[in-house]
Amino acid sequence: MNKSVESIPFFEVISMEKEISNTSPYDENFLDCFRTLWQFGDWESLANMDCNILKYHQDRAKLALLVAAGHIQRGNMAEGKQFIRLSQDWGCNKKLLSQILIAGVHNSLGRLAVLTGQQSRAFKHFERSIETYVPGCTVSLITQSRIGKQLAMLGLSSNLLELMIEAKDNIKEIPTYSSPSSIGLSDDLIIVRTFLESSFKREILNATKQIEAFIGVQGYFNSGELPNLSTEKHSWPVSPDFALYLIELLESNDYDLIIEFGSGISTVIMAKTLAKIADHQSNSKVKIVSFEHLQQYYNQTLASLKKTGLVDAVQLIHSPLLPYLASNGNTYSYYSCQKVLEDLSITYSIASLRVFVLVDGPPASTGKHARYPAMPAVLTHFRGAHIDILLDDYIRDDEKEIVQLWKTELLDNDYSFIVTERKLEKEAYLISIGSSKTNK
């Protein structure tokens, strides 16, 4: 076990796990074995290491970190995080943690480059991965062995290695993740986190797409209706968890009137939910009024309502954006909805009226606090009614600021209200006005 890393033939690395398992926990070569497995990219052997053979070793923090790297490269993210925490608990150096994580990013980018046919870029990333953890070493032989192992993991021909060696000088540089000594550790970890988050997001979106497609197929065979989804991507204008919350609100509250700012799938969901409710409540008759400022989306929503046989259940109104002078003295670009709201208020007894308002438009690109006018516009005509206002996309700073403006206005005008924040994919915020004498 006293061979230098450069002199160890690649085929010997594969058998090292057996040698490690028979090694004394205090053997000074124990860490060298793990490092060699890491350098040659034998992630499987690292991932298969038993925690019990690490915990009594004097270098257990470093050993656990290398095992974590093996798990992460094999896609075992939960196990990888566990070993990272274990490594930190055992006193792992933050600089070393940063180096291993950044090296892992380069290895992942290298595999991605191989799959996309960017052979020279792939070689550089694998080379950079090894240099990040073992700076100053001779990496040529190790890089070639690492690539061979990664190609085998990807099920690709080893002949690609020769092409990559020939192409490696065709690209002079790749994006650099600086070493912890040249920039702050936090900057390095932000780079790693951003890469991992984007990778997870792609996987989650793909999984969501497949689940939605499966449910859509099942729904079609059960009801004969095609789902209102894109088959190319996860593209619900409202997230599925928000849609479920919307259904729960409609099922558990006896609303008399629903007002929606920004039409779309949410319009269809509400119409179908109310149709279901009407099936077991013969006296249920709830009016839905939906405002949409773009002709294209108005047409799409109308087509969806027709396809589901619910076009008569919704008063869908094309309402171009016009200047709206709000009670706070500011002018916003908002739906031309005032006359419709005024006419609606005349037809109801306000004192006993229960109104649900869904705020999902206009888009933020319309201007700062674009959705703020929803509350003052409704309160102008329905003061004294019980009003639930649900704001989508509360994950955004603009929406959070809108909520604060609403709450300030309600307090200044002696309204009683309660609030509910829902931790959904894009978050949501519900303000119930007139339902309580408690202000929160």
Side-chain angles (χ1 to χ4, degrees):
M1 293 300 298
N2 294 322
K3 300 177 183 178
S4 67
V5 169
E6 288 84 354
S7 66
I8 300 177
F10 177 65
F11 64 84
E12 287 188 25
V13 177
I14 300 176
S15 64
M16 281 187 177
E17 184 183 0
K18 293 181 179 179
E19 184 175 345
I20 290 172
S21 63
N22 295 321
T23 306
S24 166
Y26 295 100
D27 190 331
E28 62 180 11
N29 294 319
F30 203 47
L31 180 58
D32 288 338
C33 293
F34 275 65
R35 284 173 174 161
T36 302
L37 290 171
W38 181 90
Q39 288 176 332
F40 285 95
D42 192 349
W43 314 123
E44 182 176 4
S45 293
L46 285 172
N48 287 335
M49 291 298 172
D50 188 342
C51 179
N52 291 323
I53 69 172
L54 310 181
K55 60 184 179 182
Y56 298 114
H57 197 279
Q58 59 187 359
D59 292 316
R60 61 184 183 174
K62 296 177 182 178
L63 296 173
L65 182 58
L66 292 171
V67 173
H71 278 294
I72 291 171
Q73 289 300 316
R74 286 182 58 78
N76 307 328
M77 302 309 299
E79 292 85 349
K81 289 179 181 178
Q82 288 175 357
F83 273 95
I84 286 177
R85 292 193 194 100
L86 196 59
S87 176
Q88 291 174 314
D89 291 343
W90 287 342
C92 179
N93 181 289
K94 291 184 177 180
K95 178 179 177 180
L96 179 60
L97 172 62
S98 179
Q99 288 176 323
I100 288 294
L101 291 177
I102 292 169
V105 170
H106 277 296
N107 192 82
S108 296
L109 291 173
R111 289 194 291 186
L112 179 62
V114 169
L115 292 172
T116 56
Q118 302 176 72
Q119 310 306 343
S120 56
R121 184 174 294 273
F123 193 98
K124 291 289 185 180
H125 274 300
F126 287 127
E127 193 172 56
R128 183 67 56 75
S129 175
I130 295 165
E131 288 176 339
T132 300
Y133 178 41
V134 194
C137 71
T138 304
V139 300
S140 178
L141 174 61
I142 301 176
T143 301
Q144 293 181 37
S145 298
R146 165 77 71 90
I147 293 172
K149 186 68 174 176
Q150 304 313 293
L151 292 176
M153 289 177 60
L154 294 170
L156 299 174
S157 171
S158 58
N159 294 334
L160 274 176
L161 176 58
E162 296 180 8
L163 296 176
M164 294 172 67
I165 295 173
E166 293 175 1
K168 69 183 180 68
D169 294 325
N170 294 339
I171 183 169
K172 300 302 180 183
E173 195 51 77
I174 58 174
T176 301
Y177 303 113
S178 305
S179 66
S181 60
S182 62
I183 63 173
L185 174 64
S186 61
D187 294 330
D188 273 341
L189 295 181
I190 288 172
I191 291 170
V192 174
R193 184 186 69 185
T194 301
F195 171 79
L196 294 176
E197 284 179 349
S198 63
S199 298
F200 294 157
K201 185 176 181 180
R202 285 194 300 270
E203 292 301 319
I204 290 170
L205 287 177
N206 180 63
T208 303
K209 171 187 167 185
Q210 298 305 322
I211 292 170
E212 289 176 350
F214 175 77
I215 294 173
V217 171
Q218 294 294 102
Y220 172 74
F221 285 117
N222 289 334
S223 67
E225 292 183 10
L226 286 171
N228 289 292
L229 299 171
S230 168
T231 55
E232 295 181 357
K233 58 182 179 179
H234 164 44
S235 59
W236 282 64
V238 293
S239 300
D241 54 0
F242 181 85
L244 182 58
Y245 181 46
L246 190 55
I247 293 170
E248 291 173 356
L249 286 172
L250 298 185
E251 279 278 3
S252 57
N253 293 278
D254 295 325
Y255 295 117
D256 303 296
L257 173 65
I258 294 175
I259 300 170
E260 180 184 41
F261 295 109
S263 71
I265 296 300
S266 56
T267 316
V268 180
I269 290 170
M270 289 192 294
K272 295 191 75 167
T273 301
L274 293 178
K276 291 280 188 183
I277 294 173
D279 286 343
H280 53 81
Q281 295 180 11
S282 57
N283 61 340
S284 175
K285 185 63 177 177
V286 186
K287 186 178 184 65
I288 302 177
V289 180
S290 180
F291 298 99
E292 176 56 57
H293 72 289
L294 292 175
Q295 187 68 51
Q296 175 188 352
Y297 291 111
Y298 170 86
N299 293 339
Q300 288 181 6
T301 303
L302 184 61
S304 295
L305 290 169
K306 287 180 178 178
K307 185 169 64 175
T308 53
L310 295 168
V311 68
D312 294 331
V314 178
Q315 184 182 352
L316 182 63
I317 302 172
H318 179 225
S319 306
L321 301 183
L322 295 175
Y324 172 81
L325 179 60
S327 55
N328 63 5
N330 296 326
T331 299
Y332 301 85
S333 183
Y334 205 66
Y335 301 98
S336 50
C337 59
Q338 292 302 308
K339 183 62 170 64
V340 175
L341 293 178
E342 181 182 357
D343 292 343
L344 281 171
S345 66
I346 297 172
T347 63
Y348 291 96
S349 172
I350 299 297
S352 60
L353 186 65
R354 295 179 63 85
V355 183
F356 177 73
V357 182
L358 176 57
V359 185
D360 198 21
S365 58
T366 333
K368 187 173 179 61
H369 300 160
R371 299 178 180 181
Y372 165 79
M375 190 187 78
V378 171
L379 285 179
T380 297
H381 302 287
F382 295 96
R383 178 165 187 158
H386 171 101
I387 305 173
D388 286 347
I389 302 178
L390 180 61
L391 177 66
D392 193 13
D393 301 313
Y394 185 64
I395 196 172
R396 301 189 305 211
D397 290 339
D398 202 59
E399 270 64 21
K400 294 183 187 300
E401 292 171 6
I402 289 171
V403 163
Q404 292 307 312
L405 292 173
W406 284 352
K407 291 167 69 175
T408 299
E409 184 168 331
L410 290 171
L411 290 170
D412 289 345
N413 289 278
D414 297 323
Y415 281 99
S416 61
F417 64 93
I418 61 173
V419 299
T420 305
E421 182 178 342
R422 292 299 291 258
K423 294 296 183 181
L424 309 175
E425 180 188 15
K426 295 186 292 183
E427 299 190 16
Y429 202 93
L430 178 71
I431 293 185
S432 297
I433 304 170
S435 59
S436 171
K437 293 183 179 181
T438 302
N439 295 327
K440 296 184 179 180

